[in-house]
Amino acid sequence: MHPLFQTEADLPSVIPVFPLSGALLLPRGQLPLNIFEPRYLAMIDDALRGARLIGMIQPEDEEAEDKPRLFQVGCVGRITQFAETGDGRYLIQLTGISRFRVQEEANVDTPYRQCHITAAPFAIDFTPRAGEEEVDRKALIETLKAYLAVNHFQVDWKEIHEAPNEALVNALSMMSPFGRREKQALLEAASLRERAEILVAITQIELAKSGDGSDTPLQ
């Protein structure tokens, strides 16, 4: 955890938000982003002049392109890597700090949206590796094996077996190819154990759809 942000009280009450469907950021997770729209370039410029914070949040209504309704829960990230390309894009990496709940959208003149937020419902996010011992790691890895086999993906199993439960669950959740509502369910999970169970359940459904999940040893 960054030393400036140790509790929910350390976060500002208003943050810029980046609505992006299918993008999931979780506490201590790392999300690379390619920024090219002028309004979000301006957002990054302003964030770099301040605390480097951006709220990742998904649009609830993808049909409304200009100002879609937002899901009420997102995740605050801090810009921890930044590079500028020759064609004017920004390549950044956000490191997740805490989830937040939107209280209301701020009335601002900036080209990007800002929201009044609270992180109080997610105080557990400020405790690294909280609830790791409750995760059914065996079920998670068996599900991952089945999914990778069906989709012919290759992974570094040594890295997976060495990863702590929090890092494993959150990384798999962030990298999962599921839709925005599934990603939102993973984000809003009450605990690490619940997030792992949701991830296993969603993956089981996908395996069942493919017709290859019958032999998967899941609990």
Side-chain angles (χ1 to χ4, degrees), residues 107-146:
N107 184 14
V108 293
D109 295 327
T110 55
Y112 52 87
R113 300 167 74 174
Q114 300 189 51
C115 290
H116 295 271
I117 61 124
T118 176
F122 307 106
I124 191 66
D125 290 356
F126 294 88
T127 303
R129 303 178 66 170
E132 279 196 328
E133 68 283 353
E134 298 177 357
V135 171
D136 187 344
R137 187 182 181 98
K138 180 178 181 293
L140 185 63
I141 290 180
E142 291 295 342
T143 308
L144 176 62
K145 285 180 180 177

Side-chain angles (χ1 to χ4, degrees), residues 4-78:
L4 292 177
F5 308 108
Q6 296 294 319
T7 72
E8 61 272 20
D10 296 328
L11 293 175
S13 60
V14 178
I15 61 169
V17 294
F18 186 5
L20 188 59
S21 184
L24 176 60
L25 178 64
L26 291 167
R28 288 165 291 283
Q30 296 180 333
L31 179 66
L33 292 169
N34 175 21
I35 309 295
F36 54 88
E37 287 190 53
R39 57 181 166 173
Y40 297 126
L41 293 171
M43 179 182 68
I44 300 302
D45 286 339
D46 290 346
L48 289 172
R49 285 192 286 267
R52 301 190 173 196
L53 298 180
I54 292 171
M56 293 302 301
I57 196 164
Q58 292 198 106
E60 187 173 355
D61 182 6
E62 290 187 306
E63 301 302 321
E65 295 182 2
D66 183 42
K67 196 173 182 179
R69 294 193 311 271
L70 303 175
F71 280 104
Q72 293 304 292
V73 176
C75 185
V76 183
R78 188 172 190 273

Side-chain angles (χ1 to χ4, degrees), residues 1 9-10 15 28 40 49 51 58 64 67 71 82 88 97 100 118 139 141 152 156 173 176 184 186 213 219:
M1 185 66 62
D10 296 328
I15 61 169
R28 288 165 291 283
Y40 297 126
R49 285 192 286 267
Q58 292 198 106
K67 196 173 182 179
F71 280 104
F82 170 85
I97 295 174
F100 64 85
T118 176
I141 290 180
H152 309 291
D156 184 341
S173 297
S176 65
Q184 195 66 26
L186 290 166
Q219 301 175 7

